[in-house]
Amino acid sequence: MNYIKTVMVWCVLAVVFPCRLMAQNTLKITLNPVVKSSIGKTIQGAIITSEEDDFSAISDSLGVANLVVTSNTYLSVEAPGYETKLLQAIPNLEEIILYGALEGQNVNVAFQTKDRDDLMGGISHVNMPEILQDNYISNPLNGLEAYVGGFNGNLWGNSSALVLVDGVPRDIDSVHPTEIAQITFLKGVTAVALYGSRAAKGVIMVTTKRGVANTQNITLRTNAGVNTPKAYPEYLGSGEYMTLYNEARSNDGLSPLYSQSDIYNHSSGENIYRYPNVDYYSPEYLQEAYSRYDGNLEISGGNETARYYTNVGFMTEGTVLDFGTAAENANERFNVRGNIDLNLNDFISAKVDASAIFYNSNGVNSNYVIDEENIDYWQGSTILRPNRFTPLIPIDYIEQGDASSWDLIETSEHVIGGKYLLGGTQLDQNNPMADIYAGGSNKFTSRQFQFNAGVDADLRNVIDGLSFNSLFGLNYNTSYLLSFDNDYAVYQPTWTNYNGIDQIERLTKYGQDASTRSQNISNNWFRQTVSFSAQLNYEKTFREKHNVSAILLANGHQITESAIYHKVSNANLGLYLAYNYNHKYYAEFSGAMVHSAKLPEGGRSAISPTMSLGWRLSGEEFLSSSSVIDDLRISVSAGILNTDLDIESFYLYEPIYTDEGSWYEWKDGLNNTGTDVRRGENLDLTFPKREEISLEVNASLFNKLLSFNGSVFTSRMTGLFVQNSILYPSYFVTGWPISSWIPYVNYNNDIRNGADFQLNLNKRTGIVDWTLGVSGMYYDTKASRRAENFEDSYQNRQGMPLDAIWGLESVGFFSGIDDIENSPTQAFGEVKPGDIKYKDQNNDGVINAQDEVFLGRGGWSGAPLTMGFNFSAKVNNFTFFVLGTMRRGAYAMKTDNYFWVNAEDKYSAEVRGRWTEETQSTATFPRLTTLNGANNFRNSDFWLYSTNRFDLAKVQLSYSFPKSILGNGFIKELGTYVSGSNLLTVSPNREILEMNIGSAPQTRFYNFGIRAMF
């Protein structure tokens, strides 16, 4: 194939540039270029040929080739395992870069590899080694929206993309970026059709590195960094909380709970143990930064018969918690991968891949339970009020004559640091602080094992151009929690004061210190994936212009998961047919016969056809001589995909009968059970469908100064399942006995429209090489068909965004009793001055759920507008890199207890803007209340905020040591870099966006790394 490509390129050059060839200068020049791979490895044995001069040379052990050729002649460069490259011999040619498999022009797509210039149907890709050169990342998808149009964490507004690692469904975090050769994003229907039903929302394909026929190369990379928290929630101290809680009681007509002396004592800080003022985010409990270390070792090489690639890596990361057992919390990861390729003979090759990922996370037990949910430290920090109890009780405050208390100390197993007992109350016998000091520790353990095996056969002896590929994949994931569980006692002190000195006169003990000192195993989980595919391929070029290819395949995978009865399966047959005339006119068909057991028998199979047509305008005579346009191609794609991704469970087509019905007998006081219907039958259910058409433009301009790829698309999901009583007469449902004959039907339709783009600029100015990439996507969604019966049309979901946020429209606060009496009745409970007032949308004189309106888009599948940029400048051996992302058009609701503060909640800094008689013109928060505040704390635009943001996601400065320093020793290349991640967020609501409530904080990450090649 490399020979055919070379011949084709020469033919094109002979046709397009005849005059140029005839007029070439016959001046001979001497060149000594170094042949390298895209990641800087020197390549020995590369063959450089000049057909015009009938000259060839081979690169030596240092990658240097000695050439004497005609100036401006075309050179063909070939090396085993690398793409053939064609370039001109110019006087300043010092370096020749070759791309290995799936680098440069080659792109891995569904069941085949294509030239980048021949892609159609919404396909984008990144070559990970190129990214890692300037931008070291530890997560494969981190910041890729700045490189790939149409990706914002999802593809073209669709969630649930299928992730494939080397062709097998796997978790994206099971592979480290240093293991990856390429990530391909299949966005359009024609791009994903061959993968069947489970791929209908898009595919993210990860292809790992493979060995090439070359001398052994060893690359070592190590990193050390620190995470620094961005922000913590701000809560009121004890004195301010107690004051405002008294105000809340006064608002509710109740007497104050806290005296002024209590408030003073808690505020003064003179005795924080008797009058607690606990700040769970203070340096007493949290450290300013915590470390992260990782390293990777890559070894690759081989010959024409066998090639290998090995990656071994580790990661360890600490925690921001800095007390008790939690100070030892850590996350640890170790991974090893081996990929082997074998040429068994001239016709048969095989590959075997294996990978293992070991992950441990050391933590503390959470015995603090609220509403049957275990509460950890971060959740507890949002609940526990600062004055509630002191976490630690100093034993030196205990009266020396209190023998019973000293006996408790003697028998306690948890005297912290020899100075403190664990504090608590009868209501707080377990609490997050005590859990960390004495509740015991745990270790979450996860193991992932991955295996691939494939056999490929060249069947050209049967039919010229025919080949066969097969792939078997197996994953096994398992995890469990290993813990040492301790019970512990807490103590509540009774304080007194003798001669102005605070002392503890008595301790009350709650609970017992106890430990089985045995390991407990819980939360066992496993998942197994089995995958297989086999395909026949045909690829041939006729008369050097007619390029024909075809694929006939069978593909399937099955996922088994613990505690889930039904396996998740995907099985399909696929057919791909493609033709292009001289890479100018294109026609492609991709189709699949899909199968799903979630549908009734007789309707479990369906055909998913798709089609793409393309036209390279730059190949036409009217553009062939353009000095602006290097390449210009337009394509259109359309198709219908049948999918079961939106079918929530199995057997939805079947009726449900129960014996939970209850029927009264004639005899009073007795009843009999009866059979009730919960769901009707529908054996006509069919696949929901993704119906899509897209238009794509690809261009290269100004001698490859600019490259552009863009798409516009409109996509419909039709026939989504719904069980809706509005579609049926009212007697299909009864209230007593509870019964329903309503079946699931194919009814709901959704629409997604949007556009994406990628723009890249490459320019050299003087000694500076500039690179700028900009990408983006805008998409809109709409519920195009819904069965609904709202009394007011403005509440109809049909025609509104799929991620619509609904709520009331606020019109300020009630200013007084007269204002309340002259306003519509609020149906959510009693209101008082300072409560939120809402607009009566339907003018019925009552504020209720019928007044809820559309407030904005939630961006649940990504913000409507996502953009990113990556910029690099290379000067000599220095490279400066910047990456930024922008998201606009989405909103969120302040709904957690940091904002909806009522009853016995902990008071956040938000309540400082509360409504009072004095602040009613400037208030930003409703009046305080010790009741539920149901009128105020519900969805409304009062709590709505924009999530628009720009993030300076990455800045990195790299330096490569020159050859003059390294010499010809053991180290071939050496580079170092410093970087910062998540450095800056620009947003009108930055403080909210950077603050995590109830979980560990967001962090900035500063890193120092070294990369060496041997």
Side-chain angles (χ1 to χ4, degrees):
M1 282 305 300
N2 287 334
Y3 175 75
I4 293 173
K5 290 179 181 178
T6 303
V7 172
M8 291 178 62
V9 170
W10 276 105
C11 291
V12 171
L13 291 172
V15 172
V16 176
F17 302 110
C19 296
R20 179 74 176 270
L21 291 172
M22 291 176 63
Q24 274 190 337
N25 195 337
T26 58
L27 176 67
K28 298 288 186 179
I29 58 175
T30 300
L31 302 172
N32 302 106
V34 179
V35 184
K36 292 183 176 181
S37 70
S38 60
I39 59 173
K41 298 177 182 178
T42 57
I43 300 174
Q44 180 181 4
I47 301 173
I48 305 175
T49 304
S50 168
E51 295 287 348
E52 179 182 349
D53 297 307
D54 192 21
F55 175 89
S56 64
I58 300 176
S59 59
D60 60 20
S61 60
L62 299 177
V64 177
N66 301 309
L67 309 177
V68 179
V69 294
T70 302
S71 179
N72 292 322
T73 190
Y74 281 89
L75 304 176
S76 173
V77 187
E78 296 178 295
Y82 293 88
E83 296 178 20
T84 299
K85 184 166 188 174
L86 195 68
L87 73 162
Q88 280 186 288
I90 55 178
N92 61 346
L93 180 64
E94 298 177 352
E95 191 174 76
I96 299 174
I97 304 298
L98 296 184
Y99 293 94
L102 301 180
E103 297 184 80
Q105 290 290 111
N106 285 345
V107 180
N108 196 24
V109 297
F111 299 101
Q112 60 182 309
T113 299
K114 287 187 175 182
D115 190 283
R116 182 175 61 187
D117 292 336
D118 293 332
L119 298 178
M120 296 190 295
I123 299 173
S124 298
H125 77 285
V126 294
N127 292 325
M128 189 58 68
E130 296 176 12
I131 291 178
L132 294 180
Q133 281 286 90
D134 302 332
N135 174 24
Y136 178 72
I137 56 177
S138 57
N139 182 291
L141 300 180
N142 189 15
L144 292 196
E145 61 266 42
Y147 297 89
V148 177
F151 174 70
N152 60 0
N154 295 294
L155 298 174
W156 279 5
N158 294 293
S159 57
S160 305
L162 176 66
V163 176
L164 301 174
V165 178
D166 290 333
V168 181
R170 288 169 176 149
D171 296 330
I172 190 66
D173 60 2
S174 70
V175 60
H176 192 272
T178 57
E179 301 174 60
I180 297 173
Q182 188 178 87
I183 301 180
T184 310
F185 300 84
L186 308 181
K187 299 170 286 187
V189 290
T190 58
V192 303
L194 293 177
Y195 284 114
S197 172
R198 307 298 296 178
K201 301 297 183 70
V203 176
I204 298 175
M205 297 179 59
V206 177
T207 304
T208 60
K209 296 176 181 177
R210 313 203 69 82
V212 296
N214 203 346
T215 57
Q216 185 180 80
N217 284 287
I218 300 175
T219 302
L220 176 66
R221 186 191 294 265
T222 183
N223 294 273
V226 293
N227 288 279
T228 61
K230 284 187 174 183
Y232 291 111
E234 182 182 0
Y235 289 95
L236 306 187
S238 293
E240 191 175 7
Y241 163 76
M242 297 161 75
T243 300
L244 295 188
Y245 187 80
N246 282 347
E247 180 182 310
R249 289 178 60 86
S250 176
N251 291 340
D252 296 332
L254 303 174
S255 59
L257 179 64
Y258 302 109
S259 68
Q260 289 302 311
S261 62
D262 280 343
I263 294 174
Y264 171 79
N265 287 328
H266 280 274
S267 301
S268 68
E270 293 180 1
N271 186 346
I272 60 173
Y273 303 107
R274 183 174 185 178
Y275 305 104
N277 184 16
V278 182
D279 178 5
Y280 291 88
Y281 304 101
S282 75
E284 184 178 358
Y285 308 114
L286 308 178
Q287 53 185 339
E288 294 182 356
Y290 60 95
S291 61
R292 185 186 191 279
Y293 303 96
D294 71 66
N296 289 92
L297 175 67
E298 298 178 83
I299 305 173
S300 64
N303 52 39
E304 292 296 326
T305 302
R307 295 163 301 283
Y308 59 89
Y309 171 81
T310 301
N311 185 299
V312 180
F314 79 93
M315 181 278 296
T316 180
E317 184 176 45
T319 176
V320 71
L321 294 171
D322 195 29
F323 70 99
T325 307
E328 305 300 320
N329 286 4
N331 299 319
E332 301 169 339
R333 185 183 191 270
F334 176 79
N335 65 276
V336 57
R337 170 180 294 278
N339 295 345
I340 298 175
D341 295 275
L342 300 171
N343 291 340
L344 303 179
N345 55 41
D346 291 340
F347 305 99
I348 300 176
S349 62
K351 61 182 178 182
V352 179
D353 307 336
S355 175
I357 303 99
F358 304 89
Y359 178 84
N360 295 323
S361 179
N362 299 319
V364 295
N365 295 332
S366 298
N367 301 313
Y368 184 45
V369 179
I370 296 179
D371 296 331
E372 300 183 356
E373 180 183 357
N374 289 79
I375 304 299
D376 66 10
Y377 179 85
W378 300 108
Q379 295 167 310
S381 69
T382 70
I383 298 171
L384 295 173
R385 299 184 293 278
N387 64 321
R388 185 155 173 163
F389 64 89
T390 180
L392 297 175
I393 301 169
I395 60 178
D396 57 6
Y397 274 82
I398 300 173
E399 293 181 7
Q400 293 299 319
D402 184 6
S404 60
S405 293
W406 284 101
D407 287 342
L408 292 177
I409 296 171
E410 291 295 327
T411 59
S412 174
E413 295 183 9
H414 303 294
V415 180
I416 309 304
K419 298 180 180 180
Y420 302 96
L421 292 175
L422 298 175
T425 68
Q426 187 174 11
L427 297 178
D428 300 295
Q429 295 185 35
N430 294 112
N431 61 76
M433 289 287 200
D435 284 344
I436 289 177
Y437 280 115
S441 62
N442 61 62
K443 175 185 286 189
F444 172 78
T445 298
S446 170
R447 301 288 184 261
Q448 297 186 50
F449 300 98
Q450 303 174 358
F451 175 79
N452 292 349
V455 176
D456 302 332
D458 187 338
L459 304 178
R460 63 178 181 268
N461 288 338
V462 179
I463 299 177
D464 189 22
L466 187 67
S467 62
F468 171 81
N469 303 108
S470 64
L471 177 68
F472 171 78
L474 177 65
N475 305 339
Y476 190 78
N477 299 10
T478 182
S479 66
Y480 58 90
L481 188 70
L482 182 68
S483 63
F484 292 90
D485 299 332
N486 298 336
D487 293 329
Y488 53 82
V490 296
Y491 303 85
Q492 184 172 6
T494 300
W495 291 86
T496 187
N497 186 284
Y498 292 117
N499 299 321
I501 299 176
D502 287 335
Q503 289 187 325
I504 297 173
E505 63 177 6
R506 185 175 68 255
L507 288 175
T508 303
K509 179 181 178 181
Y510 298 104
Q512 296 293 329
D513 293 327
S515 174
T516 62
R517 303 190 185 280
S518 61
Q519 295 180 337
N520 301 289
I521 298 177
S522 60
N523 299 339
N524 295 325
W525 173 88
F526 79 88
R527 184 176 65 205
Q528 177 183 284
T529 302
V530 179
S531 175
F532 179 77
S533 66
Q535 62 189 82
L536 282 172
N537 316 295
Y538 179 77
E539 185 173 359
K540 190 172 176 60
T541 299
F542 298 91
R543 298 182 181 179
E544 300 182 351
K545 293 184 179 180
H546 303 278
N547 302 293
V548 178
S549 59
I551 300 174
L552 178 63
L553 65 90
N555 171 57
H557 67 260
Q558 190 170 77
I559 301 174
T560 305
E561 189 168 342
S562 56
I564 298 178
Y565 176 75
H566 273 287
K567 301 176 181 179
V568 176
S569 301
N570 182 79
N572 66 278
L573 300 175
L575 176 64
Y576 171 82
L577 302 171
Y579 169 79
N580 76 71
Y581 174 77
N582 202 27
H583 299 279
K584 186 163 62 174
Y585 307 114
Y586 296 82
E588 293 183 3
F589 170 85
S590 293
M593 175 178 284
V594 300
H595 177 85
S596 175
K598 291 184 177 181
L599 292 163
E601 292 185 16
R604 293 180 173 176
S605 298
I607 303 294
S608 298
T610 68
M611 186 77 181
S612 293
L613 300 174
W615 178 24
R616 175 162 278 112
L617 283 75
S618 56
E620 301 294 347
E621 186 176 347
F622 58 85
L623 283 179
S624 61
S625 61
S626 172
S627 61
V628 175
I629 299 174
D630 310 319
D631 184 45
L632 177 63
R633 181 168 57 87
I634 61 173
S635 60
V636 60
S637 302
I640 300 173
L641 300 181
N642 293 277
T643 176
D644 65 356
L645 281 177
D646 292 304
I647 303 177
E648 295 179 355
S649 61
F650 292 82
Y651 308 117
L652 296 183
Y653 52 87
E654 291 188 346
I656 295 180
Y657 298 91
T658 76
D659 61 357
E660 298 173 0
S662 182
W663 302 83
Y664 286 105
E665 291 189 341
W666 287 106
K667 186 175 181 179
D668 290 344
L670 296 179
N671 61 72
N672 284 333
T673 59
T675 300
D676 283 347
V677 180
R678 293 290 188 263
R679 185 175 72 210
E681 182 182 61
N682 183 2
L683 299 180
D684 295 323
L685 283 174
T686 61
F687 282 95
K689 296 176 175 59
R690 177 182 173 184
E691 304 168 352
E692 182 176 279
I693 184 170
S694 62
L695 176 68
E696 186 173 12
V697 178
N698 294 274
S700 175
L701 308 173
F702 303 108
N703 195 24
K704 298 185 179 181
L705 174 67
L706 289 173
S707 61
F708 174 83
N709 168 263
S711 301
V712 293
F713 60 89
T714 179
S715 180
R716 295 199 310 160
M717 286 297 302
T718 62
L720 297 170
F721 282 20
V722 64
Q723 188 184 23
N724 196 323
S725 61
I726 294 175
L727 296 172
Y728 294 88
S730 60
Y731 53 76
F732 271 53
V733 180
T734 61
W736 178 261
I738 300 172
S739 189
S740 171
W741 290 89
I742 306 297
Y744 275 94
V745 295
N746 298 99
Y747 192 86
N748 285 2
N749 295 342
D750 298 335
I751 293 178
R752 292 172 175 84
N753 299 317
D756 70 13
F757 74 92
Q758 296 167 238
L759 179 67
N760 294 290
L761 181 148
N762 297 280
K763 177 70 174 177
R764 182 177 179 87
T765 305
I767 63 171
V768 183
D769 290 312
W770 307 90
T771 300
L772 174 65
V774 181
S775 63
M777 177 180 68
Y778 177 81
Y779 77 101
D780 186 32
T781 65
K782 183 170 66 174
S784 58
R785 188 187 189 198
R786 291 293 186 271
E788 48 196 1
N789 190 26
F790 289 103
E791 184 175 339
D792 301 296
S793 61
Y794 58 78
Q795 292 196 312
N796 287 341
R797 272 48 177 175
Q798 183 168 310
M800 304 304 293
L802 299 177
D803 55 356
I805 299 174
W806 297 83
L808 300 168
E809 182 181 350
S810 62
V811 290
F813 298 107
F814 286 111
S815 60
I817 299 299
D818 290 341
D819 190 11
I820 295 173
E821 292 177 349
N822 294 322
S823 298
T825 302
Q826 310 273 121
F828 306 116
E830 181 186 7
V831 294
K832 291 184 177 183
D835 285 332
I836 301 174
K837 181 165 57 173
Y838 302 109
K839 181 178 179 180
D840 185 6
Q841 301 289 347
N842 56 6
N843 297 314
D844 64 353
V846 179
I847 302 296
N848 54 24
Q850 289 181 257
D851 295 296
E852 292 182 349
V853 296
F854 170 70
L855 299 179
R857 292 184 59 182
W860 301 330
S861 294
L865 175 63
T866 301
M867 293 187 66
F869 79 91
N870 62 88
F871 167 81
S872 67
K874 298 184 179 181
V875 182
N876 296 326
N877 298 96
F878 287 94
T879 302
F880 176 72
F881 174 84
V882 181
L883 184 145
T885 59
M886 182 191 74
R887 297 171 178 85
R888 292 188 62 85
Y891 295 84
M893 195 73 67
K894 306 173 188 176
T895 57
D896 54 58
N897 60 11
Y898 187 83
F899 301 100
W900 287 7
V901 182
N902 59 358
E904 303 301 310
D905 287 343
K906 187 175 183 177
Y907 281 13
S908 71
E910 294 291 310
V911 304
R912 288 174 176 153
R914 71 203 179 282
W915 186 96
T916 64
E917 291 287 349
E918 295 75 21
T919 65
Q920 57 181 295
S921 61
T922 59
T924 58
F925 194 87
R927 71 177 179 94
L928 300 178
T929 179
T930 59
L931 305 178
N932 63 20
N935 178 80
N936 299 328
F937 304 120
R938 61 181 53 252
N939 276 14
S940 75
D941 60 356
F942 183 87
W943 306 106
L944 194 72
Y945 67 96
S946 168
T947 58
N948 291 350
R949 62 189 296 167
F950 170 80
D951 292 291
L952 182 59
K954 188 68 172 287
V955 175
Q956 179 168 313
L957 179 63
S958 307
Y959 177 75
S960 297
F961 288 85
K963 195 70 175 177
S964 59
I965 294 178
L966 300 177
N968 296 320
F970 178 62
I971 301 176
K972 297 179 182 179
E973 290 188 12
L974 180 64
T976 185
Y977 50 90
V978 291
S979 64
S981 304
N982 307 320
L983 296 177
L984 174 68
T985 297
V986 179
S987 171
N989 296 295
R990 178 183 61 82
E991 292 182 357
I992 298 175
L993 297 175
E994 289 190 337
M995 179 173 60
N996 287 353
I997 301 168
S999 61
Q1002 301 175 41
T1003 61
R1004 296 179 176 88
F1005 181 61
Y1006 303 95
N1007 184 64
F1008 172 75
I1010 298 174
R1011 177 181 175 274
M1013 184 182 298
F1014 306 96

